[in-house]
Amino acid sequence: MLEAIGARSVEELFAAIPPAIRLERELELPGGMPEQDVYAHLRELAERNTSAEDEISFLGAGMYDHYVPALIDMLLGRSEFLTPYTPYQPEISQGGLQAMFEYQTAISELTGLPVANASVYDGPSAVAAACYLAHLANGRSRVVVSRAVHPQSRETLRTLSHGYGTQVVEVPLRNGRTDPDTWEEAIDGDVAAVVFQQPNFLGAVEDAAALAAAAKRSGAVVVGSYDPIPMGILASPGECGVDVAVGEGQTLGNRLDFGGPSFGFFAATEAHLRRMPGRIAGETRDVDGRRGFVLTLQTREQHIRREKATSNICTAQALNALAGVVYLGWLGRAGLVELGELLLQRTAYLRDSLAALDGVSLLHEQPVVRELAVELDVDGTAGVRRVIGRCQDAGINPGYPLGADYEEHPTGLLVAITEQRTRKHIDRLAAVLAEAISAEQAGCGTREEAHA
Amino acid sequence: MADASYPDNLKYHPEHDWALIDGDVATFGVTWYAQDALGEVVFFDPPEVGTTVTAGEPYTEVESVKAVSEVVAPLSGEIVEVNAALGDAPEAINDDPYGEGWMVKVRLSDSSEVGALIDAAAYEAMLA
Amino acid sequence: MSREPSSETSAAVVASREGATPMQRDAAVTIFEKGAPGRRAFDCPAPGVPERDPLELLPASLRRGEPARLPEVSEPELVRHYVRLSRRNFDLDSGFYPLGSCTMKHNPRLHERVAALPGHARLHPLQDPGRAQGALELMWGLERALGEIAGLPYVSLQPAAGSQGELAGVLLTRAYHEAQGSRRTKVLTPDSAHGTNPATVTMAGYEVVKVATNADGGVDIDDLRAKVDEQVACLMLTNPNTLGIFDPAIEQIAALVHEVGATLYYDGANLNAIMGKTRPGDMGFDIVHFNLHKSFTQPHGGGGPGAGPIAVSERIEPFLPAPVITRSETADGPRFDLDHDRPRSIGRLRGFQGNYGVFVRSYAYIRSLGAEGLREASEIAVLNANYLLARLRELCGDDLPLAFGERCMHEFVLSATPLKRETGVRTLDIAKRLLDHGFHPPTVYFPLLVDEALLIEPTETETRETLDEFAQALAAIVGEAREDPQVAQSAPYTTPVRRLDEAAAAKRPVIRQAL
């Protein structure tokens, strides 16, 4: 090969690199390993994690341990879906493009909004992207966000809005929901977007239609961040007057994966079509009149509009979105509703079981559909953490401590279920939690420690 | 689309725009060269009536499948009419750039600017 | 793969005359057009708890009016539908994919196996760090490896993709300058830059200023000198750049940028050329992003997922996205944690800790290859690219000349301008004709500063035989274009659909199935 090139050595091909910046040693990395040794090493690392396979987990707070049907593993493992690049050559990418088109249709149906893109990175970045869209749409400089929006979504929004110069204002909660009066007061003619979450971070179902209506008058873009599973039974964003509906897509057929990759979905009213971020697949015909699919409205995107693009997104989450549309097809029209009703019943049972325990009280009494917040009668967030630790030692992960994100609820605990958590699991949680709380209340020594 | 043509009754801006001047109102559009360079136009973003435009500054955008192009105002003034038909049929910009493909009508604010525009012969010479 | 030019020409013409292939006759039907009312795959478990009145739990006012009109199909239908769709995709496991700037190297299947282990795949992101030590150790190890490869020791794995890594980089730059009390307004990018660079700059609130390219394909130093001033926050560069050329003046460029107090940002899209050979940190860069879905084998998935970690120098470190992974020594050995208490951090760019599933795959790759393997990967990537370039020059150098320079790094840009001038066959036509030969075309019409560009990146995982076949196919297409340009201009013929009307799709967008 060197002969064909006319070079004497491979080193000669790197001649453009000035000597002063050449690396004259090997990288300091562990030596290479054969496949079976790498497998053994990665397996050993996996075994040092406590996964949802190893304990009965009630952790949610943005990602949920739903069952991923086996056919998703099979389909996503197919080379034809796993290994292509973004479909820049549509004639040989019809499978991926049609799947995007079907995905967009499913998200549009789910949200009740006419246009959806082919995915963004995840839920929190989708919230920030929605607010950037609003900023492009009306040029305004303030975003009003409910404090019951996922703390990570709010933080992502603050990070990104600092770049393009938008101020973020938080609206506090009342009885577990966005305070409607403060919400309304905060919205004026300078507000680019308002953001709420449904169900909110504390598990409460918001009155989305009322929140949207309060914002409509000001001309702000109404952004709702939704959990897609309960959308089967909750009023859709479209029905509530939401302009842009986004959310974390992990619950749709994606694994937990310690937080990613999953996908963010992004749907909007027709008016925002040309401001949408990311890829969009569209239907067309080939020269012989056959139905086919292409990436469309590409002039919005970075590779064409460059500094004037509606977003810088390039590689997104196509494979994860494919899992999403396959999952929605698997659940089907009736299944999504049945799953929502199932979660509703089990969450009610969970709430009753926990409320009956000594040392546990409900943080709010709003409707809940898959997750709820309680307060433990222990000493501060450290006490909650110790209770969680005791439960985990007994094989139960009782949920997420709220104190780190909500100083107004230092002893809050967020408890979530999926269809994989049965009555037996809930009963076991109640028993273990009661024991852990009473041990915590009895353990004065550790309480002293917490004060120190 | 038809062959290249640059009508003599129009005035041209070097950014490939034309103006048809009728008293204090002028009609604007893009030249045959501009539409050819752009390829098949798929979207025209209509500006609003009442918007002020400035000579040499962009007042709208046209898009082909894989390009976006700003359209520059050859003269200054206020938009009094927009070719709404381009919303549904942007291909008129390709098919008939000096007729059905017109973009806006503008009430001119400074008629002296007309002197800065060039005639068809000068524009064609510039393209050559 | 490729056939003789003459029979190829006639075969294609005959194919189009004779009619459609079986796949072409199989018309596209979406999942929403299949199935029947009441049909289903999902078997919902019974609640198994004392049932309450659903309307008492969730009042009608909060409920959905109409169910979402999702498909009603059986599991076999669902499987058959998506398997059928998959067959209408070309993919890296089926053939050569020399898509420039995308580094389509082999994706080892081991990575899929280890990523699917429940200890990784079913680990909740909010699990207590003490019970996620394996995951945090893996991330720590990946951070150290990426830091060493970049020559910049401080790493955040969080960004979800290259474009988010870029945005993190520019926001870090902003935070750095703000901490210095300096307000800057501009970011410089070369005119050969990826489109994500200028788009990112705008999102981060800066103005884009383009720097020209010199005759050798490098940064035009005079132009840079004229534009770099105290208003410049950052220069974003790729080296080797999108022309596949290593800019030998990089030290001078770095000095000019640092003289005015600006940061130098490295777009890691082309890192595959230099692993173990030179390091961005040693070149003078302050911030680097990696594309784990390019150099580090994360499968592209038809458009993601990827991951875009960043590595930075010490002066940028305090501003890294939170949380960061920490390691401490305890009596029981090392302990890993997530540090959220980072007061000067730019904050987070997305949820949780990043695309962990991607980290598992890239970590497995780095552990498989080790230092020597990574260096060899870059060496062979560059060797393969130069070999393919040499073959193409020999076979069709007059029609498809190299746009800049003599040799290349891991990729190179040809221009089809001479061929277009003489035959009317454009780069797009060549790309479409390559589809009939069973190859994925190179990146076309990028970089923008080359007319009729073909950006070719073979990667290190292709054999010499494949490179030869590809070169012969390209030569055959050029030969065929000289005989009968119409053949390429009407291509492709054998793909599931033929050339698609993208203008119609953009004019009257149909972006969902009508129900």
Side-chain angles (χ1 to χ4, degrees):
Chain A
M1 290 170 87
L2 284 169
E3 197 180 315
I5 298 167
R8 281 183 307 278
S9 68
V10 170
E11 217 41 53
E12 195 182 313
L13 304 175
F14 289 85
I17 303 176
I21 57 167
R22 274 189 217 169
L23 191 65
E24 302 291 358
R25 56 166 176 89
E26 290 287 13
L27 292 166
E28 282 177 30
L29 296 172
M33 290 195 280
E35 175 163 342
Q36 58 273 24
D37 293 1
V38 177
Y39 176 78
H41 174 54
L42 270 289
R43 204 191 121 125
E44 190 268 324
L45 289 171
E47 280 167 359
R48 286 166 47 214
N49 299 323
T50 305
S51 78
E53 196 108 332
D54 308 313
E55 62 184 5
I56 300 167
S57 175
F58 291 86
L59 258 185
M63 285 206 172
Y64 301 87
D65 181 36
H66 285 284
Y67 180 72
V68 177
L71 67 95
I72 289 187
D73 291 351
M74 183 280 282
L75 289 170
L76 264 61
R78 284 185 72 89
S79 296
E80 300 91 332
F81 286 132
L82 183 68
T83 68
Y85 203 76
T86 302
Y88 291 139
Q89 297 290 339
E91 296 86 353
I92 52 165
S93 312
Q94 285 299 295
L97 286 161
Q98 185 178 329
M100 283 182 191
F101 182 80
E102 294 178 356
Y103 164 85
Q104 289 165 195
T105 307
I107 295 300
S108 169
E109 275 299 313
L110 202 56
T111 57
L113 290 168
V115 302
N117 77 4
S119 76
V120 293
Y121 303 127
D122 72 346
S125 67
V127 167
C131 294
Y132 190 60
L133 175 149
H135 172 74
L136 293 177
N138 56 31
R140 298 180 186 176
S141 59
R142 189 144 36 90
V143 173
V144 170
V145 55
S146 160
R147 190 158 163 74
V149 169
H150 197 297
Q152 297 188 347
S153 298
R154 284 182 279 136
E155 198 185 332
T156 301
L157 175 61
R158 275 193 296 271
T159 302
L160 300 188
S161 62
H162 181 69
Y164 56 86
T166 297
Q167 187 200 351
V168 179
V169 179
E170 274 187 18
V171 172
L173 308 185
R174 197 166 72 200
N175 300 330
R177 270 184 177 177
T178 309
D179 178 5
D181 299 332
T182 323
W183 174 262
E184 198 159 347
E185 280 160 27
I187 301 166
D188 62 27
D190 290 334
V191 173
V194 298
V195 191
F196 68 89
Q197 181 174 313
Q198 182 75 317
N200 72 25
F201 190 70
L202 302 180
V205 177
E206 297 272 7
D207 188 347
L211 293 176
K216 280 284 168 187
R217 294 185 278 277
S218 74
V221 174
V222 178
V223 178
S225 176
Y226 279 74
D227 179 348
I229 296 284
M231 254 201 261
I233 57 171
L234 289 175
S236 73
E239 289 169 323
C240 294
V242 169
D243 297 304
V244 183
V246 296
E248 172 58 56
Q250 179 270 330
T251 49
L252 302 177
N254 280 266
R255 325 196 277 217
L256 291 167
D257 273 336
F258 200 42
S262 60
F263 69 93
F265 62 88
F266 198 113
T269 54
E270 191 81 40
H272 295 301
L273 173 63
R274 286 175 186 275
R275 282 184 284 268
M276 298 279 281
R279 312 290 185 195
I280 297 176
E283 185 178 326
T284 189
R285 299 270 156 191
D286 79 356
V287 287
D288 298 331
R290 284 179 207 97
R291 186 186 195 186
F293 303 89
V294 294
L295 291 178
T296 195
L297 301 171
Q298 292 188 69
T299 47
R300 300 165 295 115
E301 293 187 62
Q302 47 80 22
H303 61 286
I304 294 174
R305 200 176 284 258
R306 298 175 76 85
E307 65 267 25
K308 290 185 179 167
T310 57
S311 161
N312 68 342
I313 196 166
C314 181
T315 289
Q317 308 293 130
L319 195 68
N320 306 94
L322 172 67
V325 67
V326 173
Y327 183 77
L328 286 169
W330 180 73
L331 280 183
R333 191 173 297 193
L336 181 71
V337 178
E338 290 167 13
L339 180 57
E341 297 289 359
L342 169 80
L343 296 177
L344 183 68
Q345 291 292 341
R346 287 198 188 158
T347 308
Y349 180 74
L350 173 71
R351 178 185 261 190
D352 292 347
S353 305
L354 296 183
L357 301 180
D358 281 341
V360 178
S361 53
L362 297 180
L363 194 146
H364 62 77
E365 305 217 349
Q366 305 294 347
V368 290
V369 291
R370 70 126 80 243
E371 189 159 30
L372 60 100
V374 293
E375 291 194 296
L376 309 186
D377 183 16
V378 296
D379 198 1
T381 304
V384 175
R385 288 190 191 282
R386 283 191 299 270
V387 167
I388 291 171
R390 285 194 171 97
C391 292
Q392 286 197 277
D393 290 343
I396 298 274
N397 190 329
Y400 178 69
L402 283 170
D405 301 303
Y406 293 87
E407 68 266 12
E408 63 272 40
H409 300 299
T411 62
L413 180 72
L414 197 57
V415 189
I417 60 154
T418 67
E419 75 289 351
Q420 302 208 82
R421 298 296 92 84
T422 62
R423 176 180 184 164
K424 215 172 82 187
H425 295 147
I426 295 169
D427 291 344
R428 175 100 184 111
L429 166 70
V432 167
L433 186 61
E435 208 167 297
I437 291 170
S438 85
E440 171 65 18
Q441 288 169 340
C444 302
T446 40
R447 290 178 75 178
E448 293 293 318
E449 237 170 65
H451 283 297
Chain B
M1 59 195 84
D3 288 339
S5 70
Y6 302 97
D8 285 331
N9 60 331
L10 305 179
K11 290 288 189 182
Y12 296 86
H13 186 278
E15 290 285 335
H16 313 293
D17 309 280
W18 55 261
L20 174 64
I21 299 155
D22 180 12
D24 65 345
V25 173
T27 306
F28 296 170
V30 299
T31 65
W32 188 95
Y33 175 88
Q35 65 77 30
D36 184 57
L38 197 58
E40 188 170 353
V41 176
V42 297
F43 182 64
F44 168 72
D45 186 13
E48 280 179 33
V49 169
T51 311
T52 303
V53 302
T54 308
E57 299 287 326
Y59 66 94
T60 186
E61 286 181 348
V62 289
E63 297 181 3
S64 63
V65 173
K66 288 182 180 163
V68 186
S69 195
E70 288 181 332
V71 182
V72 163
L75 299 164
S76 306
E78 182 191 326
I79 296 177
V80 292
E81 195 181 340
V82 173
N83 185 358
L86 294 179
D88 288 331
E91 58 269 27
I93 293 166
N94 298 115
D95 297 342
D96 189 9
Y98 306 112
E100 298 290 311
W102 70 273
M103 290 176 181
V104 294
K105 292 187 180 176
V106 169
R107 186 174 310 283
L108 302 178
S109 56
D110 180 0
S111 55
S112 72
E113 286 175 353
V114 174
L117 298 181
I118 54 179
D119 65 14
Y123 180 68
E124 276 189 271
M126 189 196 90
L127 295 178
Chain C
M1 274 196 219
S2 73
R3 291 151 270 178
E4 289 300 307
S6 53
S7 63
E8 167 73 11
T9 306
S10 53
V13 172
V14 170
S16 75
R17 219 181 284 134
E18 294 278 305
T21 65
M23 213 182 265
Q24 287 172 350
R25 284 196 296 272
D26 180 13
V29 176
T30 71
I31 193 73
F32 291 89
E33 295 163 311
K34 290 188 170 164
R39 203 176 283 169
R40 60 191 301 153
F42 172 63
D43 183 11
C44 190
V49 295
E51 291 205 36
R52 305 259 300 269
D53 175 7
L55 286 174
E56 175 209 324
L57 299 177
L58 186 68
S61 63
L62 296 174
R63 282 180 174 265
R64 192 169 181 120
E66 293 295 323
R69 290 167 294 177
L70 296 176
E72 295 182 280
V73 292
S74 67
E75 173 159 333
E77 264 182 303
L78 199 60
V79 168
R80 210 168 266 175
H81 177 75
Y82 286 104
V83 168
R84 177 191 169 280
L85 283 197
S86 76
R87 295 207 170 108
R88 298 166 84 86
N89 268 359
F90 181 87
D91 67 284
L92 179 58
D93 287 344
S94 303
F96 188 42
Y97 217 122
L99 195 62
S101 246
C102 300
T103 313
M104 294 297 280
K105 62 167 76 173
H106 175 62
N107 305 142
R109 276 310 192 281
L110 166 68
H111 303 176
E112 299 311 307
R113 176 177 283 180
V114 292
L117 291 169
H120 298 302
R122 288 192 68 197
L123 180 59
H124 194 284
L126 295 171
Q127 178 62 283
D128 182 82
R131 295 175 200 261
Q133 287 293 296
L136 294 175
E137 181 176 337
L138 184 150
M139 290 169 70
W140 171 268
L142 181 60
E143 284 186 356
R144 299 291 75 70
L146 294 176
E148 168 68 5
I149 292 164
L152 293 165
Y154 306 98
V155 176
S156 168
L157 300 176
Q158 194 184 87
S163 62
Q164 239 200 5
E166 286 177 28
L167 185 56
V170 181
L171 291 173
L172 286 169
T173 289
R174 176 179 276 282
Y176 167 74
H177 289 304
E178 283 174 358
Q180 308 274 308
S182 134
R183 289 194 59 82
R184 299 183 176 225
T185 56
K186 296 184 286 193
V187 170
L188 306 180
T189 65
D191 51 10
S192 60
H194 294 119
T196 49
N197 291 173
T200 299
V201 170
T202 304
M203 285 182 79
Y206 286 111
E207 182 196 338
V208 179
V209 178
K210 276 186 221 164
V211 181
T213 297
N214 66 25
D216 301 323
V219 170
D220 182 329
I221 298 281
D222 292 334
D223 195 46
L224 174 63
R225 224 188 284 275
K227 286 171 180 164
V228 71
D229 60 29
E230 305 275 328
Q231 284 304 303
V232 171
C234 177
L235 168 64
M236 301 179 86
L237 269 190
T238 310
N239 198 22
N241 62 21
T242 56
L243 300 164
I245 290 172
F246 191 93
D247 198 321
I250 185 62
E251 294 157 291
Q252 193 186 354
I253 293 167
L256 282 171
V257 169
H258 288 150
E259 258 167 46
V260 298
T263 63
L264 189 58
Y265 181 90
Y266 186 91
D267 178 332
N270 293 343
L271 194 73
N272 209 47
I274 59 158
M275 295 184 295
K277 304 299 288 183
T278 178
R279 307 191 303 171
D282 300 340
M283 296 178 213
F285 286 90
D286 300 281
I287 306 167
V288 171
H289 90 255
F290 302 84
N291 299 88
L292 296 188
H293 46 290
K294 292 181 179 175
S295 319
F296 298 96
T297 70
Q298 163 67 28
H300 281 259
I310 47 174
V312 304
S313 60
E314 194 166 1
R315 61 176 178 154
I316 306 294
E317 187 273 341
F319 311 103
L320 278 178
V324 301
I325 299 160
T326 59
R327 180 183 189 277
S328 53
E329 286 297 338
T330 72
D332 306 327
R335 147 104 197 185
F336 300 90
D337 244 310
L338 288 170
D339 182 6
H340 294 266
D341 186 22
R342 304 267 305 168
R344 301 174 77 190
S345 165
I346 59 168
R348 61 167 62 246
L349 295 138
R350 50 155 297 154
F352 306 111
Q353 289 82 238
N355 284 339
Y356 177 76
V358 176
F359 307 154
V360 175
R361 292 171 175 89
S362 295
Y363 178 80
Y365 176 68
I366 291 171
R367 293 307 305 265
S368 296
L369 266 66
E372 212 174 308
L374 288 175
R375 175 178 50 72
E376 281 172 8
S378 283
E379 287 173 351
I380 298 169
V382 171
L383 178 68
N384 274 355
N386 277 286
Y387 176 76
L388 183 55
L389 171 59
R391 293 286 288 143
L392 287 171
R393 280 181 144 176
E394 173 197 328
L395 293 171
C396 43
D398 292 338
D399 294 293
L400 303 175
L402 182 65
F404 280 90
E406 283 300 312
R407 283 191 185 148
C408 65
M409 294 295 283
H410 67 304
E411 64 184 356
F412 56 90
V413 185
L414 303 183
S415 169
T417 303
L419 187 70
K420 184 175 85 169
R421 201 166 41 228
E422 287 173 40
T423 67
V425 169
R426 309 178 59 217
T427 288
L428 182 72
D429 305 318
I430 298 171
K432 296 305 179 198
R433 191 67 178 119
L434 272 169
L435 302 178
D436 288 322
H437 286 259
F439 293 109
H440 195 286
T443 296
V444 294
Y445 299 101
F446 182 84
L448 303 178
L449 78 167
V450 175
D451 191 37
E452 298 293 323
L454 287 141
L455 175 57
I456 303 174
E457 179 180 10
T459 84
E460 71 277 14
T461 57
E462 298 299 333
T463 63
R464 177 178 181 163
E465 298 85 79
T466 300
L467 303 180
D468 285 336
E469 283 166 9
F470 178 75
Q472 279 151 11
L474 210 47
I477 290 168
V478 168
E480 180 187 72
R482 292 195 161 278
E483 277 174 37
D484 181 1
Q486 194 57 46
V487 178
Q489 285 163 343
S490 301
Y493 303 93
T494 56
T495 46
V497 293
R498 297 188 55 210
R499 217 176 276 205
L500 289 153
D501 189 347
E502 297 189 51
K507 259 185 221 172
R508 280 165 277 276
V510 178
I511 63 168
R512 56 155 293 172
Q513 174 73 54
L515 298 176

